[in-house]
Amino acid sequence: MEEKIAVVGAGSTKFRPDTSEQNWKELMFEGASKAYTDAGLNPRKDIDSFVTCAEDYWEGFSIYDEFVPDQLGAAMRPTCTVCGDGLHGLAIACMQIMSGMVDVVAVEAHSKISDLNTYNDVVLFAFDPIYNRPLAGHPYYVAGMEMNAFLNGSGNTEEQCAGVVSKNMTNALKNPLAAYGKRVGVGDVMGSEPMFSPAKKLDIAELVDGSVVLVLARAEKAKDIADNPIWITGFGWNSGTPWLEGRTWGRASYAEEAAKMAYKMAGIAEPRSEIGFAEVDDKFSYKELMHLEAVGLAGRGQAGNDLENGRFHADGDLPINASGGSLGCGNLIEASGLHRALEVVLQLRGQAEGRQLNDVERGLAQSWRGVPTASGAAAIFER
Amino acid sequence: MTKPENPRGVELSSKQMKEGDVIVNKWDPRVKYAWATGEAISRFLEEMKNGKLIARKCDSCDRILFPPRMFCEECFKPTTEWVYIKDTGKIETYSISYLDKDARRITDPIFVGVVSIDGASEKMGIMHYFDETTKEDIHIGMPVKAVWKPPEEREGAITDIKYFRPLKEGEE
Ligand SMILES: [Zn+2]
């Protein structure tokens, strides 16, 4: 990447299933205040542009963009909303800097999903109106279909998926932001209620609220602002087919392509030896294994074995979701990707407290927008 | 070659649409929300039930923010204090609407506009209806006062005020 860009500020609320004492503006204000304090910046003077990630149906407002500025310190300043995951927003923020128009950009993503009473219906509303939506039912069965195809095609097993849940929920015990830290064994997951077979209750991340904010700056500014800048050296994004009927079911093609784009920008040829740790999407347990294979951090059909051999545990060769991931922290909807970026940044800064990984130099954050999408993004961070 | 009789096609009636002459795809999305109102708005709505308007003060810029909010968007700092303000003000701007929300013409037009509230800072006010006035009398800058619903009918909503009416002489 020609233009060097760094994360100079990072902040987040805690992730909680219910935040009824705050409204969505107050939640975002809290996340933003933490990030600006961390950066030592006054958003009214020092930040040139603001990006937030939101989708009108999650929020319950038409043209939600209009309601964003006040709580981000962006009143009467350049502001835009990206209808995508937090890593899509991060990519837009980077490109604004690369364009030369701005030096310092704040990117925010949040979930106030507890305000939405009909989550399943809104997810169903994202289905193709002619071919898929009339079948109705709980839309998560699409994840069950994908899990089935992935396990069948790759040779990974349900027990290995359960191992992902056990690892991530246990990791979350060391993350003060996490909502679902718990000591859970493979047997607990396997014995949990069948939901969208082969997916069981504990294979599925529970929804949470939260707001995550990162402040990015171009190199010359970054060095003045932060004594521990974390460099963004590559990013990418991709969308697979919206046709459920036409998907390559066992593979996360969008993640393959998004990672390829990011690796190319970062000059990474051999991700397995060049990336030290990663936060990848695990809104469903099998997704972690599927995404690890897609982004080249595990061989095809090997992610499950690697997991069982301890490779992805916090003390393994390639720690994955040391934060606890979505399974341990909760599903943050569009903020999920930015949370993964936040964790990578904290790890690289050495600020991950009880879950700090040793000697990490470079990490990957990878996101997926959730059922029924085949869209996601990826970003590489370096110390 | 013969010229088509109506090269621009035939206009479809809503009847034809309803009767299925045109294939359409229908779906009623079930989207329901219960937004947590949070700290500032909850108090504001509670005070509406009491027939009072409450604001928040920003210590940094000394503005009285209304409707109240927990942070000042100019200073990007938390606000510091609750302040009661009056239920009188001046009309900032208004319109007389002759159509209802379904774009049907109504016989009694709706007077609607923004009132800057006395005691709050500039550009701080409330949007509401006006009544007890006429097309001829209503004007920008007109002093007005809230007309509240009786206490037992108030429910903690912006409509606990029925409308604003012209301020009478000598009234506060
Ligand atoms: Zn202020």
Side-chain angles (χ1 to χ4, degrees), chain A residues 167-169 171-172 175 279 282 321-329:
Chain A
K167 168 178 71 72
N168 293 1
M169 288 183 111
N171 283 349
N175 186 347
E279 292 280 317
D282 63 332
N321 290 332
S323 68
S326 298
L327 291 162
C329 294

Side-chain angles (χ1 to χ4, degrees), chain B residues 58-63 65 72-76:
Chain B
C58 173
D59 258 0
S60 202
C61 62
D62 271 339
R63 287 190 309 158
L65 309 180
C72 170
E73 80 280 9
E74 287 297 342
C75 307
F76 202 73

